[in-house]
Amino acid sequence: MPDLVIICYIFFLLSSYNTTAEDVKCTQQERKVLLELKNNIVIDRCGLLASWGNQEDNKDCCRWKGVHCSNYINSSVIIKIDLHGFDTSSPHPCLEGKLTPTLTELKHLSYLDLSYNNFLGEPIPNSIGSLGKLRYLDLSHAGFGGGIPHQLRHLSKLETLFISSNSFEDTLSNDNFQNFSRLKDLDLSNNSKLTLNFSVDWIPSFQLDTLKLRSLALGPHFPKWILTQRSFSYLDISEAGISEPIPTSFWNLLTLNLSFLNMSNNNITGKLPNLSHPIFDHWRPLEVDLSFNSFEGTIPSFLGNVSSLKLNNNKFSNPIPLLCPKSKIVLLDLDLSNNLSSGELPDDCWENMDELSFLNLESNQFSGKLPQSLGAIKQLQSFRLCDNTFFRSPTHFIMELLLFGEIPSEISYLGGLVSLDLSRNNCSGTITPNIGQLTSLEFLDLSNNHFCGEIPTSFVNLSYLGILDLSNNNLSGRIPLGTQLRGFDASYYMGNPGLCGEPLPKICPGDEAFNESHGEDIELTQQDKDDGEAILSHATQYNIKCIREEREALLQFKRGIQEDHCGILSSWEGHEDDVGCCQWRGILCNNLTGHVMAINLGGVEAGNDHHCLEGRVTTFLPRLKHLKYLDLSFNNFLGQPIPKFISSLANLEHLNLSNSGFTGKIPHEFGNLSHLTSLDLSDNTVVVKSLGWLSRLTSLSVVNLSDIDLSEVQDWLQIITNLPFLKVLKMDSCYLPSTIPSSLTFKNSSSTLRFLSLAHNSFGDPSIFQWLFNLSGVSTHLVHLDLCDNSLPGSIPNGFQKLHSLSYIDLSSNAFESHIPNYFGNMHSLSHLDLSANNLSGSISSCFKNMHSLSYLDVSGNSLGGQIPEMISSLKYLIHLDLSWNNFHGRVPKTIGKLCSLQFLELSYNNLTGDLTDVIQILSVCSYKSLRFFSLENNHFGGSIPNNIETFSLSRQLYLDGNQLNGTISQGIAKLSMLETLRLSTNSLIGTIFDSHFANLSSLRNLYLSENPRLLVNISVDWLPPFQLDTIYLSSCKVGPHFPKWLQTQTQISWIDISIAEISDIVPASFWSSLSSKLEYLNMSHNNIHGILPNNLSITLSELPQIDLSSNSLEGAIPSFLGNISSLSLNDNKFSDASSFLCPKNKMVLSNLDLSNNLLSGELPDCWMYFDKLSILSLENNNLTGKLSASIGALKKLQALHLRHNNFSGELPISLHNCTSLVLLDVAYNAFTGYLPQRIGNNLKNLGILSLRSNSFSGVLPSSLCQLSHLQILDLSHNNFSGKIPRCIYNLTAMTSTADLLPDILYQYDFSVLVTYFDSAFVMWKGKDQIFRNSLGQVKFIHMSNNVLEGDIPEGISSLIGLISLDLSGNKLNGSITPKIGLLTALELLDLSSNNLSGAIPATFTNLNFLGMLNLSYNHLSGRVPTGTLLQGFDASAYMGNPELCGAPLAICPGDEPPNNNTWNGNDDVAQQDVNDDLFPGLYISVVLGLL
């Protein structure tokens, strides 16, 4: 019975924990905390907070993305927040903003992840130390700065602390970690200004499992406290500045838990001990990286029983004990390159290392012959014994041997080779036919040797061969027959004078008679006879006459085609006596029967608007009963349903209907095509409810269903799994369900899958890996894997280490975190690896040194850090290297210049330092020969653009902007004749740049020199540039005083910025005429450009550009040709006439128009109906008069209307109610009259700023004013409003919070993009109009001064706790001041002067700690001024005109003792006045930073 009770209790607990999210409701207090966090986020690029509600709804925050609540019984506290960032469109952080301190009110929080965001350099809030239940804290790559708060030490339950890749500047000591007794995982890596200052004898209270201190200054001594840690599974102290030997005791302390040890990139000296340790007695999956140090002597044998060993770039002189073990070892990867090893390689030991898949011995001093016994290493995939410097394939694994003589026949033993490259050696003799036994080969390059004889016929066995290069040898004879070898381009056989046969133009002897036979019987090869129905090459098709009925079917197909944009069917003729359809383009026939076997009408893009063929597929195709191959891809069949009759082509083996404009359902009859081996239906607008028909096509080896919505096909995984011969599967962008059905079995799973692409499906959970890693045979066959853009979370799974054959991996744009797995170093076939746009941390040196096959590496947009390791030179095959948007620091390693095949080098957005001259010198070693793209953008490089940059003659893109370059630009830049983009902006370059700098840059399209204020651009007046630019930025350079006439020669410009360029000239009319129709952006602001703009131009600007001519001295009329753009800024000029511009003949597309601060006068025309796209209209500070016309109501998209400082009169038009999108309405300083519209709150619900100051408005304030829930600034001062302040004022909910609740103001740029507009507003502050910009959304003001308001101050005003300024002065308010006004603790200005207020000053005024300005003068207040340093600190003038008030700073109250003479005197008053002028602790810290 007790057992039954226990079981029931357990069942009760389980049922409680299984409560769904719908059952759990978060508390209003915790919901408020989350909303405050959201309100402090300025940008949410990834939509992390898209599901988070707002103040007005009542959505349960437990269901918001990233929020997890307690699921225990009825509790509903938030226990986990996971807002780690990721980016699917670019490498930028997801969230940008500030971390609200109130987050620490979530007292039950145990898990907090805010990694990969940008908190704008703010320090971690001190209050985070109050989260006492926190166990997991990840703030890595989050843009934090400053010091690490000492309050973190209070998190005594913390088990994981990741704060890597930030910008902390602090020193940590033992005390910071004294309470972390539970700590298991610690990552402080990549904080270059973070110093660790631990006591020599410190013994930590914790035992770490993971420790990452990469790129921190630990050295020069080995940190002894590490010797106290005996539970390491992962230890990385690379790039730590250690320069002394490793204590022998360290090796003895290692445990069997250890899986990763990295001490690379230090300067560790001495010899490794020859010890015996249990951890090394037997093989285990342990990666050891000691590379790039100064170890010397003999390599001990005990290191042989690890999975991966990197000892490269040291000074080891004797590797024999390791290379010649006494018994078998299971070492998989070994890198001994760049040491001092010498002598002959042993010839009788390799059988004991037969598990090796990667062996690198290059750049040593070995001598002798290549041992034949290397053939015993049957698992070998990569072997290096040399240091070649030639081009390598970007997408294939390479093996290269510096060989002399013939290729040894033992090459056939290396059956696992996927790619073999023996090019550019001195190999001779005939090519061994044994290469034909390497049936996994996909890449074979034997070019540039001295091979002779014929190409072995065994090459036809290389069925997977994708690239073949036999050029520049002495080969002779006929290229073997077979579509495999003859399908390659002729260039791969060139340089062999004795070779003949297709695809070479040289005809082999005896073939001439064959070509002249025309109609005689064709002699078949034995292989053709065996095949029975072989399809001949195109050269022999002229001997075949097709079947008349089939010819007619083809002609019927042609009649169904309405347009042939590519001329595909131009050879299809219909003469009565012509039956030679086998010669028509795209048709192949059987050489025996003449039946049409293949139709290849796959199109190519013929332009921006057309596919090749347009029309319909006719019903005559089923007459081609022998058809095996049908390709109608990339055409447009005008929405025709996929024809069902295709399913009657019973012999069809290949069907490609991709991108062909088909619609409707996929016919289930396709399941009858039992011979089909290849199917491509991708990129059609078809409806799929089921893939049951696909399960019947069991012969399929290639399937492509990409860009088809398969979201309703729940059993897709089971169907795909059961296709036994599947080799290629592409299902990108299919909205695939990610859940693996419980019924999924792997009984018939494919054992041949080689190519798998499931990109852009947004799976969101890692269950897809459960399927992938359980597929039969996937570990040995899969070569290509693409899972990018799937929002996959967590760590990169360990299952990848079993996929030994992979050569291509793309895991980019997911949410992977933690470090890059070390097992990647074991994947020696890998040539393409893309891990960009994830949340990965740590370093790259731990595993990449083993990946010598790598030609493409992209790890951009992660949290990787430390220095770029010297070992990068080991990746000799690299063509593409992207390390951008990480936290790498230090100098560019000298070894990077040894990457002689490098074409793309992207290092931007890191913290790299050094002199640019040194970097160019490094790359001039070898990389300059191949480099096409080079970017150091947004780092910290200094110096000049050196002369030797001229060596980069092949470079097309050069990005050096956003650095600290402070020298001159060398004339060497003129030698870069292939340069297309030059970016040098945002530096401190000096000197003069002449037209001679650009003399040879005929390919230049994009030029960025802006933000170099000391750079003088001195171009000859009559210079004719050799280029046509698309983009030019010369902002903040010394371009003037004359307008650069050479710009008139640039007729293809889309972006131009010559603002702040010291131009003091007129703009030639010919410049405007030369503008390209594709112009998108033109900025000539902040110069002294003068004159009149031409008004007789007719310019077509198709891209709706933004034009900014503000802050110049332009005058006269505004020309009409500027109307058809998206944004026009003409403010701060001397324009005097806008009448024609503002009353056009046709509708304008302007979205943003700024004509403020000009000399415009007169009445505005009643033509606003022509500007119905306007979002922002600014006419302030002119001399405009008259009434605001009723047509203003046509501006239904208007969000900001600035009319202040004009002479407008009359009432606000009723039609203004139609402008329901208004966020800002400023009509201050005019002569408007009439009442405030009664329904203003009902219609203008988005209004956040309302300024009616200094007009002649009158009447009672309407109660609907209280419905403006977004209102943050209300200025009604200096009018004639009467009546009472509305009692409902407490409903102005935006003022009940200090958060920014101002709606975003957007305007349209081009035809589809909405751009956020950062508006500004004038607010009266201390008697002056101040302009607020950056902090506008945090300003909360109510100003109603100088009206005739009466009655008391509503008590509800105390609810507006976000108020910073309250001015009710100069009215007729009476009654007492409500004590609740003391609740307005954010107040910094309070003016109630010149009213009829009576009674005492509430004692609660002492709570207004931020109050910097107070005026209660000229009322009827009485009693004592409340005691407190704040109120006594104001000048007596703040209380004057209240004769019954007393107490400091006024006269003493009756019965009080006289003050000490030293307390108050005239000098003190003056001093106090000076203090008051500076007393703005809140506003001048948090808000005035946004002024001007």
Side-chain angles (χ1 to χ4, degrees), residues 863-915:
S863 305
L864 302 171
Q867 295 183 341
I868 300 174
E870 295 282 339
M871 68 83 201
I872 201 76
S873 61
S874 301
L875 308 180
K876 295 288 185 177
Y877 298 171
L878 267 186
I879 290 175
H880 182 112
L881 175 61
D882 191 344
L883 307 180
S884 62
W885 290 94
N886 281 288
N887 287 314
F888 293 109
H889 64 265
R891 297 179 179 272
V892 174
K894 294 181 179 179
T895 54
I896 205 168
K898 296 181 180 180
L899 300 177
C900 301
S901 299
L902 197 63
Q903 296 184 18
F904 184 102
L905 177 59
E906 169 65 282
L907 303 178
S908 63
Y909 290 90
N910 281 288
N911 293 307
L912 300 171
T913 57
D915 194 293

Side-chain angles (χ1 to χ4, degrees), residues 198-353:
F198 297 142
S199 305
V200 176
D201 56 352
W202 179 48
I203 300 178
S205 60
F206 48 71
Q207 282 291 321
L208 295 177
D209 178 73
T210 300
L211 176 62
K212 301 178 183 180
L213 301 179
R214 179 180 178 83
S215 300
L216 296 183
L218 298 182
H221 303 297
F222 189 89
K224 291 186 178 180
W225 66 269
I226 288 181
L227 301 178
T228 68
Q229 303 297 295
R230 306 193 178 191
S231 301
F232 280 133
S233 65
Y234 189 107
L235 174 60
D236 187 348
I237 52 174
S238 59
E239 301 180 29
I242 301 171
S243 57
E244 69 174 14
I246 301 174
T248 303
S249 58
F250 169 79
W251 300 100
N252 292 322
L253 291 171
L254 298 178
T255 70
L256 295 174
N257 294 325
L258 190 66
S259 62
F260 182 85
L261 172 62
N262 188 352
M263 293 191 282
S264 65
N265 291 277
N266 285 287
N267 190 28
I268 301 173
T269 59
K271 300 180 179 180
L272 293 177
N274 191 12
L275 51 81
S276 175
H277 191 287
I279 192 174
F280 300 111
D281 285 347
H282 304 285
W283 181 87
R284 52 192 317 278
L286 168 62
E287 297 191 23
V288 177
D289 189 347
L290 305 179
S291 61
F292 291 92
N293 282 289
S294 296
F295 291 111
E296 57 187 12
T298 299
I299 302 175
S301 59
F302 80 87
L303 290 175
N305 274 317
V306 299
S307 58
S308 177
L309 179 61
K310 295 100 172 173
L311 301 177
N312 51 292
N313 295 83
N314 280 284
K315 299 178 181 178
F316 290 112
S317 56
N318 182 13
I320 299 303
L322 180 67
L323 295 180
C324 201
K326 297 178 181 179
S327 58
K328 282 199 173 187
I329 61 174
V330 197
L331 185 63
L332 302 179
D333 301 336
L334 176 60
D335 191 344
L336 302 181
S337 61
N338 293 284
N339 277 282
L340 302 177
S341 301
S342 59
E344 296 187 2
L345 289 174
D347 193 24
D348 54 354
C349 302
W350 299 106
E351 59 272 11
N352 287 335
M353 304 181 74

Side-chain angles (χ1 to χ4, degrees), residues 557-583:
F557 175 87
K558 180 180 180 180
R559 294 184 185 107
I561 301 301
Q562 301 168 12
E563 298 285 347
D564 182 0
H565 298 288
C566 306
I568 291 180
L569 307 181
S570 60
S571 63
W572 291 29
E573 299 294 341
H575 303 298
E576 286 298 323
D577 57 347
D578 178 18
V579 290
C581 64
C582 294
Q583 289 82 50

Side-chain angles (χ1 to χ4, degrees), residues 1210-1267:
E1211 298 184 4
L1212 292 178
I1214 297 176
S1215 62
L1216 195 64
H1217 283 163
N1218 297 329
C1219 303
T1220 55
S1221 299
L1222 266 177
V1223 174
L1224 185 153
L1225 175 60
D1226 185 352
V1227 298
Y1229 299 103
N1230 280 284
F1232 285 111
T1233 59
Y1235 299 150
L1236 190 61
Q1238 286 293 319
R1239 298 182 57 79
I1240 187 171
N1242 303 100
N1243 298 93
L1244 307 183
K1245 293 185 177 180
N1246 289 315
L1247 207 59
I1249 298 172
L1250 176 61
S1251 179
L1252 307 181
R1253 184 182 188 86
S1254 295
N1255 280 281
S1256 298
F1257 291 108
S1258 59
V1260 177
L1261 297 179
S1263 59
S1264 70
L1265 195 67
C1266 301
Q1267 298 180 33

Side-chain angles (χ1 to χ4, degrees), residues 354-499:
D354 58 358
E355 296 295 327
L356 264 181
S357 59
F358 176 85
L359 176 60
N360 190 350
L361 303 177
E362 67 180 68
S363 297
N364 280 279
Q365 300 172 19
F366 293 115
S367 59
K369 296 181 178 181
L370 184 66
Q372 292 184 347
S373 61
L374 282 171
I377 314 178
K378 293 183 173 57
Q379 303 299 320
L380 193 64
Q381 297 182 26
S382 176
F383 172 54
R384 300 190 184 283
L385 193 58
C386 59
D387 186 12
N388 289 317
T389 58
F390 45 86
F391 177 85
R392 296 164 180 87
S393 166
T395 57
H396 290 77
F397 162 68
I398 308 294
M399 173 184 175
E400 55 182 348
L401 306 170
L402 186 57
L403 295 176
F404 296 87
E406 297 186 354
I407 301 176
S409 60
E410 288 81 2
I411 192 77
S412 62
Y413 298 162
L414 305 179
L417 283 179
V418 175
S419 181
L420 176 61
D421 188 346
L422 303 181
S423 61
R424 299 180 189 271
N425 282 285
N426 291 317
C427 300
S428 58
T430 59
I431 300 176
T432 173
N434 289 10
I435 288 182
Q437 299 177 34
L438 303 178
T439 55
S440 295
L441 271 183
E442 298 177 11
F443 180 96
L444 176 60
D445 191 347
L446 303 181
S447 63
N448 293 282
N449 280 283
H450 303 289
F451 292 116
C452 59
E454 296 185 349
I455 300 174
T457 57
S458 61
F459 273 29
V460 299
N461 299 327
L462 305 178
S463 56
Y464 292 124
L465 202 61
I467 294 180
L468 170 68
D469 194 346
L470 302 178
S471 61
N472 297 307
N473 281 283
N474 296 315
L475 298 171
S476 59
R478 184 193 298 274
I479 296 174
L481 292 174
T483 56
Q484 185 75 11
L485 297 184
R486 294 192 171 191
F488 294 109
D489 190 80
S491 61
Y492 295 127
Y493 300 99
M494 65 185 298
N496 293 282
L499 273 183

